[in-house]
Amino acid sequence: MLSRITDDDSVGKSHCRVLAAAYRAIHERRHDMSAALPRIEACFLVRFDAKIGYTIAWRRTNPGLELDGVEYKSLPSGLHNVNEDLIYFIHGSHAGVSAFKSAATAQHERNTLSIGVGVLVPLTHGRLGKSWLHAGSLQKLAEYVCQHHG
């Protein structure tokens, strides 16, 4: 069970609650499909801000798992040219997948909100740890955050 949580007011407490509830739903579904879905060791929301750069806006991790640098791996290079994407990466002994979404908004610098919702799974299931099995849920979460920002 993931135990540590960090919230950033710029994302909004309601979005953090939605992400936490979605994590719980994914976690519960994993128990029903335990042979199919790899165990989630970390779940996070990464945001790009033109003034600050890459930041982890929300996270929930297993104790002892550090996310240092995951914000740079979770968003695509040239993100200003991409509307949505899936990014796969390795972070220590974990495989990661992040659903990137960019949406127009008047509230953010350059009128764009760029976020990535991702998870880390253990590499026990091969080179990418079957992380792609979580991609559909992550894409839905990224879409929700972009539609309900503010």
Side-chain angles (χ1 to χ4, degrees), residues 96-111:
V97 60
S98 175
F100 170 77
K101 183 77 175 156
S102 182
T105 175
Q107 296 176 346
H108 292 84
E109 184 69 23
R110 297 187 183 174
N111 300 327

Side-chain angles (χ1 to χ4, degrees), residues 86-105:
L86 281 172
I87 298 94
Y88 296 94
F89 58 94
I90 301 297
H91 186 74
S93 61
H94 293 83
V97 60
S98 175
F100 170 77
K101 183 77 175 156
S102 182
T105 175

Side-chain angles (χ1 to χ4, degrees), residues 7-13 15-16 45 47 49 52 55-57 107-108 113 149-150:
D7 295 337
D8 179 342
D9 286 334
S10 67
V11 175
K13 298 291 182 186
H15 292 110
C16 293
L45 173 67
R47 179 172 170 240
D49 183 287
I52 300 170
T55 59
I56 299 175
Q107 296 176 346
H108 292 84
L113 173 67
H149 67 278

Side-chain angles (χ1 to χ4, degrees), residues 25-99:
I26 291 170
H27 191 265
E28 289 168 7
R29 187 180 74 186
R30 182 185 62 81
H31 289 298
D32 296 338
M33 304 171 60
S34 60
L37 290 176
R39 183 178 72 250
I40 295 174
E41 300 277 325
C43 187
F44 51 87
L45 173 67
V46 174
R47 179 172 170 240
F48 177 77
D49 183 287
K51 293 179 182 177
I52 300 170
Y54 298 88
T55 59
I56 299 175
W58 177 90
R59 73 180 104 204
R60 188 167 277 183
T61 65
N62 277 339
L65 179 57
E66 293 297 325
L67 294 182
D68 295 339
V70 79
E71 64 271 29
Y72 303 107
K73 299 174 182 179
S74 300
L75 299 178
S77 57
L79 61 89
H80 57 282
N81 294 321
V82 181
N83 291 327
E84 59 185 273
D85 203 356
L86 281 172
I87 298 94
Y88 296 94
F89 58 94
I90 301 297
H91 186 74
S93 61
H94 293 83
V97 60
S98 175

Side-chain angles (χ1 to χ4, degrees), residues 37-39 41 90 93-95 121-131:
L37 290 176
R39 183 178 72 250
E41 300 277 325
I90 301 297
S93 61
H94 293 83
V121 300
L123 284 170
T124 54
H125 296 287
R127 215 166 79 190
L128 291 176
K130 294 188 178 181
S131 58

